[in-house]
Amino acid sequence: MVLDHDEADDLVQEVFIKIWNNIEKFREDSQLYTWIYRIATNECLNFLRKKKNRYFIPIHDVQAELTQKLEDSSYIDGDEIQLKLQKALLKLPDKQRLVFNMKYFDEMKYEEISEITDTSVGSLKASYHHAVKKIEEFLSHD
Amino acid sequence: MKLEDIKKKNIYTVPDNYFDQLPTKIQSRVNEKTPVFRIKLSWSLVFKVATPAFAMIMILFYFGLKNNNTYESADEILSQVSSQDLIAYLETTDITTDEIIEEIDFTDVELDFYEDGSIMQDIEMNKDNINTLLDEYGIDTDIL
């Protein structure tokens, strides 16, 4: 989601520290896996939101920065078309990109994503369907 | 080009031994303790600080009670703005429709979309019509 290895590393550490500090608040009304996943996705979306708001950076600049990271990062190992798919994903709003990653790459069920993101299954299906259309449109034209 | 034409692969990698070192890094951060400052208090110091502080609280409390001005919250102010004015304002900003949608809580909302992304509303269609549309757009019924 954040594309940069160092930023992803920071986020992973933050997530586990948050889990450690809040484990007593885990109410067991969901699976531990779901709870951890929810903390991680919230942390990630908050990070991206703060990045966009910081110094009043316009959204397209953050998008351009992330696209640049895709091209420059030494921790990316994919062919041209896979890189193009990742660039297409950057055109999506963050939450829609998150839903797409969970469904397409992590192959999670809509019910699981629903529990983690606190979004109805119907909305997730519509969001994923819409995302696929946008990605295919980008891949066909650019 | 279709998504199915692309080989599904996680292209992101990590440095060698990253996951071996991660627990140690996290543990060292968890163990970091914030320094505790101990201040030795004397009753005379407490008295010197507490008296003006108490006086200040009383003054603020007194003027706070006298001040009848009420401040409206952002929600109250926004509730007085008409939807048309809000739409007109949003149209003049750089905020995109996607960003607005991203902020909306869809928890209890079921939406269906047209191919171009616009929302279907109150459309009654029989099964044959729906199947014709699905065939026309090549939509796999398994994803619905």
Side-chain angles (χ1 to χ4, degrees), chain B residues 70-86:
Chain B
T70 53
Y71 295 95
E72 291 176 300
S73 69
D75 284 346
E76 285 168 339
I77 294 167
L78 274 177
S79 68
Q80 293 164 18
V81 182
S82 72
S83 299
Q84 280 177 328
D85 288 342
L86 280 174

Side-chain angles (χ1 to χ4, degrees), chain B residues 60-72:
Chain B
L60 289 174
F61 184 67
Y62 176 72
F63 283 107
L65 281 179
K66 277 186 74 176
N67 189 356
N68 288 326
N69 291 337
T70 53
Y71 295 95
E72 291 176 300

Side-chain angles (χ1 to χ4, degrees), chain B residues 37-101:
Chain B
F37 296 100
R38 290 174 189 276
I39 301 171
K40 203 175 178 182
L41 292 176
S42 69
W43 283 110
S44 62
L45 179 68
V46 171
F47 188 74
K48 278 177 191 168
V49 174
T51 309
F54 181 72
M56 185 62 78
I57 289 167
M58 291 310 289
I59 291 165
L60 289 174
F61 184 67
Y62 176 72
F63 283 107
L65 281 179
K66 277 186 74 176
N67 189 356
N68 288 326
N69 291 337
T70 53
Y71 295 95
E72 291 176 300
S73 69
D75 284 346
E76 285 168 339
I77 294 167
L78 274 177
S79 68
Q80 293 164 18
V81 182
S82 72
S83 299
Q84 280 177 328
D85 288 342
L86 280 174
I87 292 165
Y89 166 74
L90 289 171
E91 280 173 354
T92 61
T93 65
D94 292 335
I95 303 170
T96 64
T97 312
D98 281 338
E99 286 170 81
I100 296 169
I101 290 171

Side-chain angles (χ1 to χ4, degrees), chain A residues 70-130:
Chain A
L70 263 179
E71 285 165 2
D72 298 343
S73 176
S74 47
Y75 297 116
I76 287 177
D77 172 32
D79 58 26
E80 198 182 332
I81 191 67
Q82 281 155 348
L83 211 59
K84 201 171 174 186
L85 170 62
Q86 292 297 327
K87 285 180 187 172
L89 290 183
L90 290 177
K91 302 282 177 195
L92 303 176
D94 292 332
K95 192 166 176 191
Q96 196 173 30
R97 187 155 62 95
L98 175 79
V99 171
F100 181 86
N101 283 340
M102 289 165 116
K103 182 69 194 153
Y104 181 75
F105 288 110
D106 299 342
E107 296 180 346
M108 293 170 75
K109 291 177 181 165
Y110 281 118
E111 287 73 17
E112 288 175 308
I113 305 173
S114 166
E115 217 178 323
I116 290 163
T117 59
D118 202 16
T119 308
S120 74
V121 170
S123 300
L124 290 172
K125 284 179 182 176
S127 176
Y128 181 74
H129 179 67
H130 204 194

Side-chain angles (χ1 to χ4, degrees), chain A residues 3 5 9-10 12-14 16-17 20 49 59 70 75-78 81-83 85-86 93-95 100 104-105 107 118-120 122-123 125-126 128-130 132-136 139-140, chain B residues 1-4 6-16 18 22 25-26 29-30 98-99 102-118 137-139 142-144:
Chain A
L3 307 193
H5 169 72
D9 182 33
D10 281 345
V12 168
Q13 291 182 38
E14 284 301 323
F16 278 104
I17 289 168
W20 174 262
R49 194 173 298 129
I59 287 58
L70 263 179
Y75 297 116
I76 287 177
D77 172 32
I81 191 67
Q82 281 155 348
L83 211 59
L85 170 62
Q86 292 297 327
D94 292 332
K95 192 166 176 191
F100 181 86
Y104 181 75
F105 288 110
E107 296 180 346
D118 202 16
T119 308
S120 74
S123 300
K125 284 179 182 176
Y128 181 74
H129 179 67
H130 204 194
V132 171
K133 291 286 159 198
K134 280 200 260 184
I135 290 165
E136 289 181 343
L139 292 173
S140 304
Chain B
M1 178 180 273
K2 291 278 172 194
L3 200 57
E4 301 93 80
I6 300 172
K7 190 184 166 196
K8 193 188 288 188
K9 182 191 172 188
N10 178 9
I11 64 168
Y12 298 101
T13 62
V14 292
D16 291 340
Y18 172 74
L22 187 61
K25 277 202 261 182
I26 294 168
R29 283 188 62 184
V30 167
D98 281 338
E99 286 170 81
E102 201 183 336
E103 294 301 321
I104 298 172
D105 181 8
F106 281 104
T107 311
D108 300 318
V109 183
E110 296 281 341
L111 293 176
D112 292 318
F113 293 92
Y114 282 119
E115 203 74 0
D116 65 354
S118 56
Y137 287 97
I139 297 169
D142 292 342
I143 66 165
L144 295 176

